[in-house]
Amino acid sequence: MTTPQDDEPAVSYSTYAEFGARFFQRAVTEERVAAAAAGLAGRPVDFGPLGVGPMGIVKVSAHGRVGQPVASPVEGEFVAYHLSLPVDLALLIDMGLEKSRFNAVVTVRLSLTARPADPLKVVIDIEPPTRRDVEIRMQAEGLRASVLQLFAPIESEVRKSVARYVAAQLRRPEIAAARVIDVGAVLDSFRLSAH
């Protein structure tokens, strides 16, 4: 409905539901999601030595860093995004008398959904990753057959450890705070500064 008054420009009204949907799309953009997730970039990833294989005799250690996250929108009822976290890992396999080093390119897939919360907040929910959300590409050139036969348990351990690491990082206070947009506080500060 349009109601021009005097020389004022015409105003096009919408429903509360339409306004809310447009607000979420404008407030929770791909750029803002990527910026909020950027707090994870550069964080070190270190774990091990972890015992793998029969009786856990072979030990695996990993050291690396989280790269720059990439967000992509998801079509649907909610404002949602897929977030890909790249992690470069240097792995050390210690078989007692022999040690092998190689690299792994890891991608962690996260699902983010923007939700309204009381009293007037936007909360970005992030599903904690499981090992199914972790993809690994291992560079195995030149490794002996004894190492290659351990790849399946090594990959499994790396997937679990990376998923646990990322889930723990998401619980950090600064990351948790970046996932909340306090719209009420922003409006209150605007009102106070106007006086």
Side-chain angles (χ1 to χ4, degrees), residues 26-170:
R26 185 78 177 266
V28 188
T29 62
E30 193 172 323
E31 294 76 20
R32 285 195 176 106
V33 167
L40 293 170
R43 292 190 183 270
V45 179
D46 296 302
F47 56 84
L50 303 170
V52 299
M55 297 183 294
I57 294 173
V58 176
K59 305 295 183 190
V60 177
S61 300
H63 306 284
R65 290 197 172 277
V66 177
Q68 195 64 37
V70 177
S72 56
V74 176
E75 294 294 326
E77 180 183 357
F78 299 103
V79 176
Y81 294 88
H82 288 309
L83 189 73
S84 294
L85 285 180
V87 182
D88 287 324
L89 290 179
L91 300 174
L92 173 65
I93 301 175
D94 184 349
M95 293 182 287
L97 298 175
E98 181 182 356
K99 293 183 181 179
S100 297
R101 297 177 187 274
F102 59 99
N103 297 319
V105 177
V106 180
T107 303
V108 184
R109 296 181 310 273
L110 299 173
S111 296
L112 295 77
T113 305
R115 300 187 188 279
D118 290 330
L120 192 55
K121 296 179 182 179
V122 175
V123 176
I124 301 173
D125 278 343
I126 305 178
E127 288 287 324
T130 68
R131 64 179 169 184
R132 288 184 217 81
D133 301 312
V134 180
E135 291 179 1
I136 300 177
R137 288 195 319 270
M138 302 174 98
Q139 298 175 350
E141 293 178 16
L143 292 179
R144 295 183 178 205
S146 57
V147 176
L148 290 174
Q149 71 184 9
L150 289 168
F151 257 34
I154 289 171
E155 282 194 15
S156 179
E157 284 298 334
V158 171
R159 288 175 198 270
K160 281 194 296 188
S161 296
V162 170
R164 276 196 303 259
Y165 168 82
V166 171
Q169 294 301 308
L170 293 175

Side-chain angles (χ1 to χ4, degrees), residues 14-25:
S14 66
T15 66
Y16 285 119
E18 291 167 339
F19 180 89
R22 282 199 292 271
F23 173 81
F24 264 79
Q25 290 164 356

Side-chain angles (χ1 to χ4, degrees), residues 2-11 13:
T2 303
T3 58
Q5 289 189 351
D6 301 332
D7 294 332
E8 293 181 9
V11 176
Y13 291 102

